[in-house]
Amino acid sequence: MNKLKPNFFSAPILSNQKIGKNYFCLKVKTPQNIDQVEPGQFAMLRGKWNYDPLLPRPLSIARAEKFQLDFIYEVRGRGTHLLSLMQPPREIEILAPLGNSFPPPENSLPLLLAGGIGFPPLYFYQQKYGGKLLAGFQTNPELDLFSDKIIATDDGSLGFKGNVLQLLESCTEINNYSTIMACGPRIMLKQLKNRCSPLQCNLFLSLEEKMACGTGLCHGCAVKSRQNDYFKICTDGPIFKSSDVNLEE
Amino acid sequence: MALKLNTSLAGQTLKNPLMTASGTSGHSTLLSNYFPLEKLGAFVTKGVSSNAKIGNKPPRICETPSGLINCIGLENPGIKFFIDNYLPQFPSETLPLIVNFFGNSVDTYIKAAASLGQIEEIFALELNISCPNVQKGGILFGSDPIAAGDLVEKCIKATQGKPVFVKLSPAFSNFLETANQVMQAGAAGLTCFNTYPATDIDIQSKSFKLSLGKGGLSGPAILPLSLLKLHEIHTHFPEVELIASGGVNTAEDIIKYILAGANAVQLGTSILINPTSPIVLLDSLKNLCLKMGINNLMNLKGKVKG
């Protein structure tokens, strides 16, 4: 259970450095102790610029300790580009922590599968609880965080040539895991859900969608439920049991 | 002299002119996680209808320069669920509650108005006329001043005396005639305005960015458009009570709308960007009034020159 209520605050930037090809690590100081933040939770971040880009950006939390939050993000559009330019002593507006989290391990450690920029919450999980992490990228991410052995790249520029699910089949036995956790592109999550459906494992998916508020107010980030109505990814998730959501819409 | 921020609507005094805009603060008191809701002049709920609506499929939102387009699809749990589960959460004795409602036919509007009209805890209703009439081939109620006036008259009758503010669509050039018709039908005032029909296209996938292909534009981008239209309504109907809605993000924006003729001002997209924005703006409004030598904010109503 997450005890920490979401808080809107202005956070001094401690550092914001490039750590790979198009990947940055942003570290900020928080006004309250955030040790209780769990892997899978996220924050809404916005630089103190004017109205364009207008909306804060949802980013997964990559590490939370005492009075410091770390985010690892990929520069994709104007919002993340402007974010990458912000350096100390500037401050950034943050609403955090938001959403639910991956469940802590019970009897055995989970398999953690990441696609692209889906890796930060799983990296956080592995650092906090352990588990076997496999990560797929389109091309060499030039990150200094992982062993080559757990990396798959579509173009073969690093580690296994292929996607993360192909890497999984090649290096481990999926039946050995009673719990699998994943975060990545929707197509990867759909394939994983199909792969796991005949198995007896618990599959937890971290979902993404365009978000305006992150607080459940706007109903913007919808995903179809098994009952055919909609969950709000920001407050009902972002972590869902795969059987609870319909990813085909 | 103490600064007076209070305003009045439908004979009720509001402690300040700030209220939430429908669709941006939910159906419940979720926003109270971020500030005491009693700080608001009033709270306007997300729209409710007689029957629950699950809303549109995603993607439901896209960002544009200084704006946000949404096609949420009026997702709501239905009036009964709202009354049973969410309404009791509101501190209705200290916070005037305005419930936004809609239908898809004259009959469903009347049914909604009748259900909500009998609830004592509700101060007023806000009627969304920007919906398609399924009994008339999907034509929007707000596009036809006569149909809008007729709808409002029937809804008011069904509410048994509850004040009804009509939220106008900015999409039609006949909005002044619609304003005239709905006021003649007995509306307590007008909310000016709903979002603007808009779209955006992803050039890589060559597809619309929203599942419906279009949605409603909100945010700072629309403020100058709604400011002009609100002032035109105020000029034609100076006695009508107006609630401004559209693009407010600063204390300056609030004062602009009041100068243009507004009695109250709604905050929408700014709450999505920062859920504490109502109290941030309230503080900022007080400071601006002191700086400008304003003792009574409502003395500025409609006082724009020229």
Side-chain angles (χ1 to χ4, degrees):
Chain A
M1 286 297 287
N2 304 305
K3 302 264 186 345
L4 220 50
K5 283 177 73 171
N7 185 21
F8 186 89
F9 53 91
S10 182
I13 295 174
L14 299 169
S15 66
N16 189 16
Q17 291 176 332
K18 193 170 183 189
I19 58 164
K21 188 188 176 93
N22 245 5
Y23 293 100
F24 285 74
C25 180
L26 169 69
K27 300 181 179 190
V28 300
K29 194 175 167 190
T30 61
Q32 62 185 134
N33 185 306
I34 41 78
D35 277 342
Q36 288 179 61
V37 169
E38 287 289 321
Q41 291 195 280
F42 70 102
M44 299 297 286
L45 290 87
R46 192 175 187 278
K48 293 182 176 179
W49 47 70
N50 213 323
Y51 299 142
D52 189 28
L54 182 65
L55 301 173
R57 296 297 189 258
L59 292 182
S60 286
I61 293 166
R63 181 169 168 266
E65 202 173 310
K66 292 178 182 157
F67 291 83
Q68 185 180 320
L69 273 180
D70 295 1
F71 302 92
I72 297 173
Y73 61 97
E74 182 181 17
V75 172
R76 281 195 181 171
R78 277 189 345 106
T80 44
H81 171 67
L82 288 172
L83 189 61
S84 73
L85 302 177
M86 296 188 65
Q87 294 299 327
R90 291 182 70 182
E91 298 196 351
I92 188 159
E93 288 175 347
I94 294 184
L95 179 62
L98 297 167
N100 64 1
S101 55
F102 287 114
E106 290 179 358
N107 302 319
S108 60
L109 289 173
L111 176 65
L112 310 169
L113 296 176
I117 191 56
F119 74 82
L122 298 170
Y123 177 70
F124 183 13
Y125 192 98
Q126 191 194 37
Q127 297 291 310
K128 184 159 181 167
Y129 297 116
K132 182 176 180 63
L133 175 65
L134 299 177
F137 296 90
Q138 287 180 335
T139 189
N140 183 354
E142 297 170 18
L143 289 162
D144 205 13
L145 299 169
F146 313 112
S147 147
D148 294 2
K149 288 180 193 160
I150 65 125
I151 300 286
T153 52
D154 293 344
D155 63 4
S157 54
L158 184 71
F160 178 85
K161 185 176 191 309
N163 65 37
V164 71
L165 301 182
Q166 292 164 329
L167 169 62
L168 164 67
E169 304 293 358
S170 80
C171 75
T172 188
E173 179 52 56
I174 194 168
N175 285 309
N176 292 344
Y177 292 92
S178 59
T179 304
I180 300 175
M181 301 176 182
C183 183
R186 190 62 67 92
I187 185 151
M188 169 196 147
L189 301 184
K190 275 192 213 175
Q191 287 172 359
L192 180 62
K193 186 177 173 183
N194 290 338
R195 175 70 181 86
C196 292
S197 65
L199 308 177
Q200 294 294 316
C201 66
N202 291 311
L203 175 61
F204 294 93
L205 305 175
S206 175
L207 301 185
E208 284 190 326
E209 186 52 79
K210 296 278 185 202
M211 258 179 213
C213 66
T215 54
L217 293 170
C218 77
H219 296 235
C221 56
V223 64
K224 201 81 177 254
S225 77
R226 190 175 47 183
Q227 283 80 21
N228 253 3
D229 54 8
Y230 287 102
F231 286 125
K232 292 186 281 257
I233 290 179
C234 64
T235 49
D236 297 318
I239 314 300
F240 294 91
K241 279 184 83 168
S242 67
S243 54
D244 289 343
V245 287
N246 173 0
L247 300 180
E248 298 306 317
E249 180 174 282
Chain B
M1 190 189 288
L3 169 62
K4 287 178 72 176
L5 291 180
N6 58 298
T7 185
S8 72
L9 281 177
Q12 167 138 355
T13 299
L14 310 186
K15 57 180 92 70
N16 66 64
L18 299 189
M19 53 177 80
T20 53
S22 178
T24 57
S25 293
H27 300 104
S28 67
T29 51
L30 192 58
L31 198 57
S32 66
N33 284 333
Y34 303 97
F35 68 91
L37 296 183
E38 296 90 330
K39 295 271 185 187
L40 290 162
F43 186 98
V44 183
T45 67
K46 181 170 167 62
V48 289
S49 52
S50 283
N51 295 321
K53 280 195 76 176
I54 66 166
N56 293 324
K57 65 180 186 181
R60 293 177 169 188
I61 56 169
C62 80
E63 188 184 51
T64 57
S66 302
L68 167 68
I69 312 177
N70 86 81
C71 66
I72 307 297
L74 297 168
E75 180 178 350
N76 80 93
I79 285 177
K80 182 169 185 335
F81 188 93
F82 167 76
I83 291 173
D84 291 346
N85 296 279
Y86 295 147
L87 189 79
Q89 299 175 0
F90 286 95
S92 55
E93 288 190 1
T94 48
L95 175 68
L97 181 65
I98 301 175
V99 176
N100 181 290
F101 75 101
F102 66 94
N104 60 11
S105 63
V106 173
D107 291 344
T108 53
Y109 268 102
I110 291 172
K111 195 175 165 196
S115 304
L116 296 166
Q118 60 187 334
I119 308 289
E120 201 181 323
E121 291 80 6
I122 298 172
F123 152 57
L125 302 180
E126 185 179 69
L127 196 165
N128 174 0
I129 56 167
S130 305
C131 294
N133 182 351
V134 293
Q135 290 170 328
K136 290 266 176 79
I139 187 171
L140 304 179
F141 284 101
S143 67
D144 178 349
I146 301 295
D150 181 56
L151 175 72
V152 169
E153 188 175 348
K154 286 174 173 155
C155 286
I156 288 171
K157 196 179 278 181
T159 63
Q160 301 172 12
K162 190 84 73 186
V164 175
F165 290 84
V166 177
K167 188 167 187 175
L168 298 177
S169 167
F172 309 108
S173 55
N174 58 3
F175 68 97
L176 286 172
E177 182 53 22
T178 302
N180 185 32
Q181 289 294 335
V182 302
M183 288 311 299
Q184 286 194 21
L190 304 170
T191 301
C192 312
F193 291 91
N194 211 319
T195 56
Y196 288 72
T199 195
D200 200 2
I201 292 173
D202 182 297
I203 61 168
Q204 297 302 327
S205 63
K206 302 184 181 65
S207 13
F208 288 110
K209 289 186 177 177
L210 294 162
S211 65
L212 278 197
K214 62 182 177 182
L217 178 66
S218 64
I222 69 168
L223 186 136
L225 305 171
S226 293
L227 188 63
L228 173 64
K229 284 173 184 284
L230 179 139
H231 183 246
E232 286 176 12
I233 290 184
H234 177 69
T235 304
H236 282 81
F237 312 107
E239 304 305 320
V240 172
E241 292 184 343
L242 302 178
I243 304 171
S245 186
V248 172
N249 268 271
T250 65
E252 286 81 358
D253 296 341
I254 296 166
I255 290 185
K256 284 178 192 178
Y257 269 126
I258 292 170
L259 284 167
N263 293 63
V265 177
Q266 296 184 344
L267 306 174
T269 306
S270 74
I271 294 176
L272 305 182
I273 299 168
N274 171 0
T276 68
S277 80
I279 47 169
V280 172
L281 286 193
L282 192 58
D283 274 349
S284 163
L285 181 63
K286 286 174 187 166
N287 290 335
L288 184 60
C289 287
L290 292 175
K291 202 168 141 192
M292 291 176 68
I294 298 166
N295 297 319
N296 185 342
L297 185 59
M298 276 306 132
N299 283 347
L300 298 181
K301 178 177 150 66
K303 292 287 170 58
V304 63
K305 296 174 187 169

